[in-house]
Amino acid sequence: MFKNPIKTKSWSKLSNHFLSIKDFKIFDFFKKDKKRFKNFSINFKNSILVDFSKNRINLETLKLFGSLLDEINFKNYIFSMLMGENINFTENKPVLHFLLRDRKNIFLKNNPNFTDIKKDINANLNKIKFFTDKILNGEWLGFSGKKINNIVNVGIGGSDLGPRMIIKSLFLYRNKLNIYFVSNIDSLDIMKVLNKLSPEDTIFIVCSKTFTTLETLNNANILRKWVLDFYKNKERSLNYHFILVSSNFSESVKFGVNLNNIFIVHDWVGGRYSFCSAFGISISLAIGFDNFCKLLDGAHDMDIHFFSSNYLNNIPIVLAFLSIWYNNFFKFHTEAVLAYNENLFYLPMYLQQLVMESNGKYVDYNGNYISDYYTSPIIWGGVGTNSQHSFYQLLHQGTCVVPCDFIGEIKNVNNINDSHFKLMSNFFSQTQSLAFGDKIFKINNWMNNNINNLNKFIKFKGNRPTNTILIKKINPYNLGSLISLYEHKTFTQGVILNISSFDQWGVELGKKLSNLLSFYLGKKIKLQKKDFKKDIYLDNSTFNLLNFFNKNYFSN
């Protein structure tokens, strides 16, 4: 089932095809195909339009990628996911996050093995609703009887970036609750939040799948002590101010809250795919349970689109093709996500984790080291138009070509002084100028004829690929669809590249080593190499850095 992609016949055909079209310009593709926009765009429920016409591809490119999916039996991978097989094979787990948003039971009813899972999912969803309603209706009070006004989400990675990105994106749907986030183990992060709060009207939602994550537990214990100090060590107060979300029930219980305050996350939910799980409690609190359900429904409908649409009309699959096309054939190794909506500020950061933690691997499904092709591109980005005055110079005239996803909104309610039209004119002009360069303008008409010696400096070659993603409105449903789109794009890339997208072993070494090295920090005496445990390889650099840190930490 697992195949090295470059050893397939389809990859060989793609390589030959690449050589035949690599020098074509985007301008030439449009000149040749008068219906290129129609042929290279997909409309999802008239809510999200994806235009991929400004790319260095033709229909043959897409057909060859479709043949590649057939050759690697891509449909078998989808079937395995839908049937709950352990496609996260290194951790021996299924990958079923799509079931969390299957409120219509489309997937659940097709597999009798999901009966118990369905009960658990529904029970968890009802528990989220119950808790959300009690907070928003003012029925849940703090230990001293005050109404809850503040929610602090304590997590890191997916349990932080998912809720943080979604709550920021859905700012217009927010209620009056104040939502804060604590993720960094740097105490500056937690103190900035605590300086604004009182324990009396605050609930902390501690999210850790294993309930062993160093950063999250360190912060949770600081907060636990803060609350207990305020209430003079009355441990009953914890039940009024802490909610725990984890798949490790036995470790969660040790924190000291009522069992009803513990929400369970299924072991088959990866952190970066977890916004639909109980890790999304802060989302439900911020926008209300009904809007949380619309978020789930939008994600579910994109799931249906991905699982049922043919390859060439399937948004996640087409975008996955394009990433692999540029990363492996053109050797364009980065992708920029450019959001023309201030509320989507955290989206590039969220997608960094989703894509690079999922597909940043150099070991394939068969346990072989990958040396003959590239896996994940580097994801980065920002919001427009600020980014235009930051790094767009490189996008237009830099020596490295960066394929871009431009994401914009059609119906923005805050069109003060036509600012939304001005924003979107920038949005459209950037994709146009990146694709076609100065073919749009005659340079001499743009610049004064007396300074023609600047022609080379103001030359825009264009031919820079972009995808345009136009969302009718940034609402819960459409945002859910957008997130699901990128989830399935990431999965598709992983399958084609013969890697597991659902583990993250590369994160673990640093965690274990930091736990070991933390013992040696804050020592007033000079460390000797004999002081270190035998299971640590102590290089000369780290040894001297630790001593330098300790010496200067205690100096004036």
Side-chain angles (χ1 to χ4, degrees):
M1 184 175 178
F2 306 134
K3 293 185 179 181
N4 180 327
I6 72 166
K7 293 182 179 179
T8 61
K9 293 179 181 178
S10 300
W11 193 278
S12 179
K13 290 179 181 179
L14 275 166
S15 297
N16 292 331
H17 172 68
F18 167 73
L19 293 175
S20 70
I21 72 164
K22 67 182 180 68
D23 295 324
F24 282 33
K25 303 291 189 289
I26 295 173
F27 179 84
D28 299 326
F29 288 125
F30 274 89
K31 193 173 181 181
K32 188 174 182 179
D33 183 359
K34 301 302 181 185
K35 295 182 179 180
R36 186 166 173 86
F37 173 77
K38 180 181 178 181
N39 292 332
F40 292 84
S41 62
I42 303 171
N43 190 336
F44 174 75
K45 294 185 174 293
N46 206 34
S47 295
I48 299 178
L49 174 72
V50 177
D51 168 26
F52 54 99
S53 61
K54 296 186 179 79
N55 280 286
R56 295 164 72 169
I57 59 170
N58 59 20
L59 287 174
E60 181 66 16
T61 318
L62 296 179
K63 290 177 182 176
L64 288 171
F65 267 113
S67 297
L68 176 62
L69 287 185
D70 287 333
E71 189 172 350
I72 65 173
N73 297 316
F74 181 70
K75 288 182 179 177
N76 287 350
Y77 288 88
I78 289 183
F79 181 78
S80 295
M81 178 187 276
L82 288 171
M83 290 297 103
E85 296 176 15
N86 291 345
I87 63 172
N88 178 358
F89 74 98
T90 65
E91 297 178 322
N92 199 33
K93 299 173 186 175
V95 175
L96 299 172
H97 54 270
F98 61 92
L99 293 182
L100 296 169
R101 55 247 198 167
D102 184 22
R103 298 202 307 137
K104 301 173 186 175
N105 298 328
I106 301 297
F107 304 121
L108 290 169
K109 69 183 180 184
N110 291 331
N111 191 334
N113 296 327
F114 291 160
T115 302
D116 290 337
I117 291 176
K118 177 182 176 181
K119 292 177 182 177
D120 289 344
I121 291 172
N122 289 339
N124 226 17
L125 200 57
N126 288 334
K127 190 173 180 180
I128 292 172
K129 181 182 188 307
F130 177 79
F131 177 64
T132 300
D133 289 346
K134 287 202 78 171
I135 295 290
L136 296 183
N137 292 337
E139 297 172 32
W140 185 301
L141 304 177
F143 186 59
S144 59
K146 289 194 174 182
K147 182 180 176 181
I148 300 300
N149 294 309
N150 305 298
I151 303 295
V152 181
N153 189 94
V154 186
I156 198 164
S159 60
D160 170 76
L161 286 170
R164 189 190 292 257
M165 182 274 290
I166 291 168
I167 291 171
K168 169 74 171 174
S169 298
L170 298 177
F171 176 79
L172 296 177
Y173 296 83
R174 289 281 307 276
N175 51 43
K176 292 183 179 180
L177 276 179
N178 301 309
I179 311 289
Y180 301 92
F181 292 89
V182 170
S183 58
N184 201 330
I185 200 170
D186 186 338
S187 56
L188 292 174
D189 190 29
I190 198 167
M191 293 315 298
K192 281 192 303 184
V193 172
L194 292 187
N195 287 339
K196 302 174 184 177
L197 304 177
S198 164
E200 293 184 281
D201 62 349
T202 301
I203 281 184
F204 301 97
I205 301 173
V206 180
C207 301
S208 175
K209 187 176 174 184
T210 61
F211 222 75
T212 59
T213 307
L214 174 65
E215 296 90 341
T216 302
L217 290 190
N218 186 75
N219 286 329
N221 286 322
I222 291 172
L223 296 169
R224 186 180 189 276
K225 184 178 184 302
W226 188 67
V227 171
L228 287 176
D229 285 349
F230 183 86
Y231 287 118
K232 304 188 185 309
N233 290 318
K234 294 178 180 176
E235 294 224 354
R236 284 194 308 119
S237 64
L238 298 178
N239 298 320
Y240 295 78
H241 297 282
F242 281 91
I243 296 294
L244 311 182
V245 186
S246 179
S247 63
N248 191 340
F249 185 77
S250 58
E251 282 297 319
S252 303
V253 169
K254 297 175 184 178
F255 194 82
V257 298
N258 286 336
L259 300 187
N260 286 336
N261 287 40
I262 300 174
F263 286 72
I264 297 300
V265 172
H266 294 89
D267 196 39
W268 38 255
V269 180
R272 55 197 176 278
Y273 301 90
S274 64
F275 76 95
C276 293
S277 73
F279 283 153
I281 290 175
S282 59
I283 303 170
S284 181
L285 289 169
I287 63 175
F289 183 75
D290 288 345
N291 280 323
F292 181 67
C293 288
K294 290 175 183 176
L295 183 77
L296 304 186
D297 292 344
H300 172 72
D301 283 352
M302 183 58 74
D303 294 339
I304 297 288
H305 168 81
F306 171 68
F307 289 132
S308 62
S309 300
N310 69 63
Y311 296 157
L312 302 190
N313 290 296
N314 192 309
I315 297 172
I317 288 177
V318 168
L319 294 185
F321 287 172
L322 291 168
S323 287
I324 292 171
W325 179 239
Y326 291 124
N327 196 22
N328 276 280
F329 293 89
F330 280 96
K331 307 297 189 272
F332 302 156
H333 297 313
T334 80
E335 294 177 14
V337 178
L338 307 168
Y340 278 67
N341 182 294
E342 184 65 25
N343 289 337
L344 296 177
F345 180 87
Y346 291 115
L347 181 63
M349 192 184 302
Y350 173 82
L351 295 178
Q352 280 179 333
Q353 189 207 14
L354 174 64
V355 177
M356 293 197 287
E357 193 167 274
S358 295
N359 292 338
K361 315 283 172 64
Y362 58 50
V363 179
D364 70 14
Y365 264 120
N366 304 305
N368 300 316
Y369 288 106
I370 298 168
S371 60
D372 44 6
Y373 60 93
Y374 298 96
T375 55
S376 176
I378 298 165
I379 307 298
W380 59 289
V383 293
T385 58
N386 290 6
S387 298
Q388 291 177 201
H389 294 268
S390 174
F391 53 77
Y392 274 40
Q393 169 63 38
L394 181 145
L395 298 183
H396 284 284
Q397 291 183 312
T399 53
C400 54
V401 176
V402 182
C404 303
D405 282 0
F406 279 77
I407 302 173
E409 181 183 32
I410 296 173
K411 290 182 176 291
N412 187 304
V413 297
N414 294 316
N415 194 12
I416 303 169
N417 195 29
D418 288 341
S419 56
H420 184 57
F421 297 148
K422 293 168 184 172
L423 172 73
M424 294 306 291
S425 68
N426 278 274
F427 175 88
F428 294 119
S429 69
Q430 290 298 322
T431 64
Q432 188 182 25
S433 56
L434 284 165
F436 305 114
D438 53 31
K439 288 184 181 296
I440 303 165
F441 291 114
K442 295 294 184 182
I443 289 180
N444 287 344
N445 293 341
W446 180 30
M447 301 292 288
N448 190 302
N449 287 333
N450 294 327
I451 53 172
N452 279 343
N453 62 317
L454 293 181
N455 277 3
K456 287 185 178 179
F457 297 95
I458 63 173
K459 180 72 175 174
F460 288 81
K461 293 181 179 179
N463 209 32
R464 308 285 171 122
T466 63
N467 298 310
T468 300
I469 301 174
L470 267 180
I471 303 171
K472 192 167 186 178
K473 187 178 181 182
I474 305 295
N475 58 27
Y477 177 89
N478 289 336
L479 183 64
S481 298
L482 183 70
I483 298 169
S484 177
L485 184 165
Y486 278 105
E487 287 177 349
H488 294 306
K489 173 191 172 183
T490 302
F491 167 67
T492 302
Q493 288 173 268
V495 171
I496 294 174
L497 298 169
N498 195 31
I499 53 177
S500 174
S501 298
F502 301 107
D503 59 27
Q504 56 280 333
W505 295 108
V507 179
E508 299 303 317
L509 176 61
K511 287 183 181 179
K512 294 183 185 302
L513 195 54
S514 68
N515 287 334
L516 292 170
L517 291 180
S518 64
F519 175 77
Y520 303 101
L521 293 172
K523 306 293 184 184
K524 289 188 176 182
I525 60 171
K526 185 175 181 179
L527 299 170
Q528 305 295 325
K529 290 202 173 183
K530 63 181 177 61
D531 297 328
F532 289 81
K533 295 179 181 179
K534 292 181 179 179
D535 56 352
I536 298 180
Y537 166 72
L538 197 65
D539 63 275
N540 184 257
S541 170
T542 306
F543 173 73
N544 283 288
L545 287 170
L546 292 172
N547 271 314
F548 184 84
F549 176 91
N550 286 342
K551 178 182 176 180
N552 284 276
Y553 182 81
F554 291 106
S555 66
N556 292 327

